């Protein structure tokens, strides 16, 4: 087993997601014995676009925003990956997220490379018309990269089907004809796919149940804590509760609630829909996001942002299984600690792939103008996430490494093979 990651040094550690993503890749390259030239290519991003663009506020003031679109690799096909709107977005974060998309698509067998975009903004501080102007201007500024054959964005943190509709319309206006396949996660009325909105959470729930089955953990009555109550977290919590799990804690960016007897997830979703957050929800006791991670539960689902389980708290994670609905929630140092402590971590590129898998279905449906029934989409989604989990886990068992390393070995090997076949231009 190759472990190039040392465990927690003294004092709190601040993690850079891009350094962590490169470190995870380097571990996989070492495991596979990847040739140095190919390793040098794959540990960098192919294209990194930084844009600064003005947006008129409703009061007439002009504010300049910073945004990014990064394509990590195009070996297997057009670039694919979401766009996030968040005040904490950085170029390094977007680079890491783009690289993770490359591995996620490869592991799921999708004909895509990896990309990601982001704007440094708190969308909750904008009016709806300000948000529309920001989205349309950002879409215009990254239109040099995006397109149905080149790079296809999708929702991510704080971006919605409505925002995808504005991107689709903006690109269509400049081309003079409708291009639904330029973006996925759209509303149904303009070429969105049935099942896309629930796909990430559905994939997380399916993966969680399959993981419990393979480990011999009964799912009926299994306790679950979910950090992050956005698109992925809400649907994962709802579906797991439907399948007999007891969701004992949920949280959003403002804090969470816990109840050992279980939370009424539907009521929590309804409260969040009505008020915009979980604050004031009466179905349990208040709990902080940090404390939620340390609850004595069977299954912990980080579904918010990266760097939540770190070398600072990994010793205190009590869950037996961690299912990464978020991208990059566990740092490499924390991974080493969890591995030593016998915690099974289902890595992000396996656990949350349901979203991009149904994005792929949406893109195929748009290109063919032929739309599928929801049960067919859900069936195909379940087959594909199960295959990715099996490939990653079998590889991990064969190499006697963690599931993350097994998943990376499969994904990096697939991308490397495509790169070798294509050769180096010119
Ligand atoms: N943002 C999601 C992810 O991180 C979905 C990406 C997509 O559908 O292209 O996987």
């Amino acid at each position: 087993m190759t472990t190039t990651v040392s465990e927690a040094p003294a004092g709190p550690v601040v993690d850079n997601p891009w350094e962590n993503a490169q470190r995870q890749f380097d571990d996989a390259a070492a495991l596979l014995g990847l040739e140095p030239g190919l390793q040098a290519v794959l540990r960098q991003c192919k294209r990194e676009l930084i844009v600064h663009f003005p947006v008129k506020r409703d009061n007439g003031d002009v504010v300049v925003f910073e945004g990014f679109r990064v394509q990590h690799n195009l070996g297997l096909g057009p670039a694919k990956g979401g766009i996030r709107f968040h005040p904490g977005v950085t170029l390094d974060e977007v680079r890491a997220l783009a690289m993770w998309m490359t591995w996620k698509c490869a592991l799921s067998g999708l004909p895509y490379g990896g990309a990601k975009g982001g704007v440094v903004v708190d969308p909750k501080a904008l009016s709806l018309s300000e948000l529309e102007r920001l989205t349309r201007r950002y879409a215009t500024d990254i239109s040099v990269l995006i397109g149905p054959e080149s790079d296809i964005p999708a929702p991510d943190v704080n971006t919605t089907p409505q925002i995808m509709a504005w991107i689709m319309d903006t690109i269509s206006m400049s081309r003079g004809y409708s291009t639904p396949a330029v973006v996925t996660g759209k509303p149904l009325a303009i070429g969105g796919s049935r099942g896309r909105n629930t796909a990430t959470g559905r994939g997380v729930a399916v993966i969680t149940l399959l993981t419990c089955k393979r480990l011999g953990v009964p799912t009926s009555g299994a306790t679950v804590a979910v950090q992050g109550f956005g698109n992925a977290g809400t649907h994962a919590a709802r579906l797991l509760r439907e399948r007999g799990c007891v969701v004992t804690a949920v949280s959003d960016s403002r804090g969470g609630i816990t109840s050992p007897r279980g939370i009424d997830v539907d009521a929590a979703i309804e409260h969040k829909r009505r008020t915009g957050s979980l604050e004031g929800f009466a179905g349990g006791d208040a709990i902080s996001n940090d404390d939620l991670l340390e609850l004595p539960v069977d299954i912990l689902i980080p579904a918010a942002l990266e760097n939540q389980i770190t070398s600072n708290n990994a010793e205190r994670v009590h869950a037996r299984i961690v299912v990464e609905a978020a991208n990059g929630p566990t740092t490499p140092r924390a991974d080493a600690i969890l591995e030593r402590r016998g915690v099974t971590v289902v890595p992000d590129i396996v656990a949350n792939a349901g979203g991009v898998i149904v994005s792929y279905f949406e893109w195929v449906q748009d290109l063919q103008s032929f739309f599928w029934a929801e049960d067919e989409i859900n069936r195909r989604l379940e087959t594909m996430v199960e295959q990715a989990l099996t490939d990653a886990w079998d590889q991990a068992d064969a190499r006697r490494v963690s599931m993350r390393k097994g998943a990376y070995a499969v994904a990096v090997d697939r991308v490397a093979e495509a790169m070798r076949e294509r050769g180096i231009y010119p």
Side-chain angles (χ1 to χ4, degrees):
M1 185 175 110
T2 37
T3 303
T4 56
V5 176
S6 58
E7 287 193 15
V13 176
V14 180
D15 281 279
N16 175 317
W18 177 230
E19 282 170 15
N20 286 344
Q22 286 187 314
R23 182 181 293 195
Q24 289 163 337
F25 164 70
D26 286 339
D27 282 354
L31 202 60
L32 291 167
L34 208 65
E35 52 273 42
L38 199 44
Q39 182 174 354
V41 172
L42 291 175
R43 76 191 306 284
Q44 298 296 346
C45 292
K46 178 182 172 67
R47 292 193 181 106
E48 305 179 339
L49 176 64
I50 305 176
V51 294
H52 295 98
F53 55 96
V55 177
K56 238 184 226 159
R57 302 290 308 249
D58 292 340
N59 67 6
D61 287 355
V62 172
V63 184
V64 174
F65 289 90
E66 183 173 47
F68 311 97
R69 184 72 185 173
V70 172
Q71 298 175 345
H72 168 252
N73 181 267
L74 307 177
L76 288 170
K80 188 84 191 80
I83 289 169
R84 67 172 56 178
F85 288 174
H86 192 275
V89 166
T90 64
L91 179 58
D92 271 353
E93 181 193 42
V94 178
R95 284 171 167 154
L97 291 161
M99 183 192 258
W100 290 327
M101 285 308 302
T102 301
W103 313 139
K104 193 187 303 185
C105 293
L107 182 65
S108 293
L110 305 180
Y112 286 138
K116 206 79 171 197
V119 177
V120 187
V121 60
D122 177 5
K124 289 165 195 151
L126 301 182
S127 72
L128 194 64
S129 51
E130 289 169 342
L131 187 63
E132 177 172 354
R133 287 195 291 279
L134 176 134
T135 302
R136 288 183 181 277
R137 181 59 191 251
Y138 168 69
T140 303
D141 278 349
I142 65 164
S143 66
V144 292
L145 290 183
I146 66 174
E149 293 96 33
S150 56
D151 183 350
I152 305 112
D156 197 78
V157 173
N158 290 334
T159 51
T160 58
Q162 171 65 82
I163 290 172
M164 299 307 116
W166 290 328
I167 295 174
M168 178 274 202
D169 184 68
T170 299
I171 301 301
S172 298
M173 286 299 111
S174 75
R175 293 199 178 189
Y177 54 91
S178 286
T179 54
V182 69
V183 64
T184 58
K186 299 179 296 296
L188 273 184
I190 56 165
S193 176
R194 293 183 200 286
R196 175 62 185 88
N197 204 36
T198 53
T200 311
R202 181 175 297 278
V204 169
V206 169
I207 289 283
T208 303
L209 297 171
L210 289 167
T211 301
C212 287
K213 192 168 165 202
R214 186 152 165 171
L215 289 174
V217 174
T219 50
S220 170
T223 51
V224 183
V226 182
Q227 186 209 44
F229 215 49
N231 177 273
T234 50
H235 292 297
R238 183 177 58 76
L239 291 166
L240 285 171
R241 184 169 187 256
E242 274 174 30
R243 298 295 297 268
C245 297
V246 181
V247 178
T248 58
V250 294
S251 67
D252 64 17
S253 58
R254 298 197 207 157
I257 43 162
T258 180
S259 165
R261 290 175 312 284
I263 283 163
D264 182 343
V265 177
D266 291 333
I269 292 172
E270 177 53 24
H271 181 90
K272 171 128 186 163
R273 195 193 59 75
R274 231 174 346 97
T275 67
S277 84
L278 285 168
E279 248 174 357
F281 179 64
D285 300 324
I287 188 168
S288 72
N289 266 298
D290 287 346
D291 289 344
L292 180 144
L293 298 172
E294 300 174 15
L295 283 173
V297 287
D298 297 309
I299 301 154
L300 174 63
I301 304 186
L305 295 170
E306 54 274 6
N307 294 346
Q308 298 303 301
I309 305 173
T310 69
S311 52
N312 305 318
N313 63 2
E315 293 286 359
R316 299 190 299 276
V317 168
H318 287 102
R320 178 162 175 200
I321 302 168
V322 175
V323 182
E324 295 185 334
N327 290 310
T330 312
T331 67
R333 283 194 188 85
D335 252 345
I337 296 168
L338 296 178
E339 194 178 346
R340 171 171 54 68
R341 294 183 52 231
V343 178
T344 298
V345 178
V346 186
D348 44 12
I349 62 171
V350 178
N352 70 32
V356 72
I357 288 170
V358 178
S359 276
Y360 168 59
F361 298 162
E362 179 173 333
W363 180 72
V364 168
Q365 291 171 84
D366 288 339
L367 291 175
Q368 301 187 340
S369 298
F370 177 71
F371 291 88
W372 312 349
E374 184 156 1
D375 58 348
E376 167 154 26
I377 286 162
N378 289 342
R379 204 172 51 244
R380 284 180 186 259
L381 161 66
E382 289 185 23
T383 307
M384 287 180 76
V385 295
E386 179 163 14
Q387 187 62 53
L389 177 71
T390 304
D391 288 351
W393 208 328
D394 288 354
Q395 182 76 208
D397 282 355
R399 293 181 181 270
R400 305 172 73 83
V401 295
S402 69
M403 205 195 304
R404 188 180 321 274
K405 289 190 176 130
Y408 267 65
V410 174
V412 172
D413 195 40
R414 285 182 187 162
V415 176
E417 192 191 339
M419 298 291 283
R420 272 186 221 108
E421 295 283 5
R422 290 178 64 153
I424 291 180
Y425 174 87

